[in-house]
Amino acid sequence: MLSFLLKMVLVHVLGDFVLQPDGWIRHKAKHKLRSNRLYAHVLVHLLLFLLVFGFKPTYYWAALVMVVTHFVIDAAKLYLNRLDQPVLLFVGDQLLHFLVLVGLAYWYYPDEWSFAWLGSDRFVLALIAVLLMTYGISIMVKNFLSRWSQRELEVPKSSRKGTSLASAGLYIGMLERLFIFGFILLNQWSGIGFLLAAKSIFRFGDLTRGRDRKLTEYILIGTLLSFGLAMLATLVFKWLWVLV
């Protein structure tokens, strides 16, 4: 089953990322169902599937289902592009493709699947840890820093508006804590030091302007608090993982 699923994922990665030129993507976005690149893209997936699976008749139904669903998902995405949510559409598109592949693997090898792990204590613990690393600690840090207002920080308007990406700080914090989580699980504590040093370098401009001293202190408090909570939560996670 795993071999079957991995081969299908290989087909998808080759067809969707390696063998799909940017020109095809632009042509599909412009002409939608009238784009011959859309049909060529689906044909590439079909040929890759047949090549990877050695043209075995046993898997012809899987090839047909994969091609049809891929066409439907891609076509729907083309007409949803007007929503101007590229990240959401990309993630949704790839998730749907992957679910189809998993469904086909289950269809061909139903006896080799077990979903008991979904109800295990370790799965629940891992899910809680990921949620804490992404959203939970973000809210904790935000609440702690809320005692200092923007007026108190005396940050110029030019520093607050138009110079940073929307919600960039939130996503940077999430990624930092996920890296910390991974580094500690791999027992690579030096990676945390490298991460902190890299962030300090990128923040060097903010941290060296004397007129923004309060902003500097605000950033340092938020960063150290985020790192500290992430390390503490990961250590607790490792302790609980052994117990369950």
Side-chain angles (χ1 to χ4, degrees):
M1 178 275 298
L2 183 58
S3 174
F4 177 74
L5 180 59
L6 289 176
K7 287 180 179 179
M8 287 196 299
V9 172
L10 173 63
V11 169
H12 177 74
V13 171
L14 287 173
D16 245 24
F17 303 115
V18 181
L19 299 178
Q20 182 175 208
D22 291 340
W24 286 22
I25 297 174
R26 291 191 295 269
H27 195 276
K28 290 191 299 179
K30 181 178 180 180
H31 300 283
K32 297 181 173 54
L33 288 178
R34 293 176 296 173
S35 172
N36 55 8
R37 307 305 197 277
L38 173 61
Y39 302 95
H41 175 63
V42 174
L43 181 60
V44 167
H45 274 77
L46 176 60
L47 293 176
L48 285 171
F49 186 96
L50 295 175
L51 287 171
V52 169
F53 285 93
F55 292 86
K56 294 181 180 178
T58 306
Y59 299 123
Y60 283 173
W61 275 110
L64 178 62
V65 171
M66 187 201 69
V67 166
V68 172
T69 55
H70 199 100
F71 174 81
V72 172
I73 293 170
D74 277 18
K77 180 185 175 183
L78 293 175
Y79 285 94
L80 289 173
N81 271 335
R82 68 186 68 176
L83 298 178
D84 195 28
Q85 295 288 340
V87 175
L88 182 62
L89 286 174
F90 175 78
V91 173
D93 170 72
Q94 295 302 316
L95 181 60
L96 287 174
H97 288 315
F98 183 71
L99 289 176
V100 169
L101 301 184
V102 171
L104 287 171
Y106 181 73
W107 180 23
Y108 272 87
Y109 302 96
D111 296 333
E112 297 185 25
W113 285 79
S114 175
F115 298 97
W117 57 273
L118 288 173
S120 67
D121 292 338
R122 284 191 167 183
F123 174 75
V124 175
L125 180 61
L127 182 60
I128 292 172
V130 171
L131 291 175
L132 274 175
M133 293 297 156
T134 51
Y135 291 98
I137 295 178
S138 291
I139 295 173
M140 294 179 196
V141 174
K142 182 180 179 181
N143 287 333
F144 183 83
L145 296 178
S146 63
R147 66 182 65 190
W148 295 292
S149 65
Q150 289 292 339
R151 179 177 299 179
E152 183 181 359
L153 290 173
E154 298 177 356
V155 181
K157 291 184 178 179
S158 59
S159 299
R160 298 199 306 263
K161 297 180 180 179
T163 59
S164 64
L165 299 174
S167 302
L170 173 65
Y171 297 124
I172 290 172
M174 289 181 176
L175 291 172
E176 286 174 352
R177 290 187 293 274
L178 287 174
F179 275 120
I180 290 171
F181 185 65
F183 285 143
I184 295 178
L185 291 184
L186 295 173
N187 202 29
Q188 296 294 325
W189 288 85
S190 58
I192 300 176
F194 173 80
L195 187 64
L196 186 58
K199 183 171 183 177
S200 299
I201 292 172
F202 284 114
R203 279 289 190 181
F204 184 76
D206 291 330
L207 302 178
T208 54
R209 288 180 295 177
R211 62 188 177 88
D212 287 344
R213 179 174 178 178
K214 290 185 178 180
L215 174 62
T216 299
E217 295 170 344
Y218 181 84
I219 293 171
L220 285 174
I221 291 171
T223 297
L224 295 176
L225 184 60
S226 178
F227 274 54
L229 288 173
M231 288 189 284
L232 177 62
T234 307
L235 291 174
V236 172
F237 169 83
K238 290 184 68 175
W239 175 64
L240 291 175
W241 186 266
V242 176
L243 294 180
V244 299

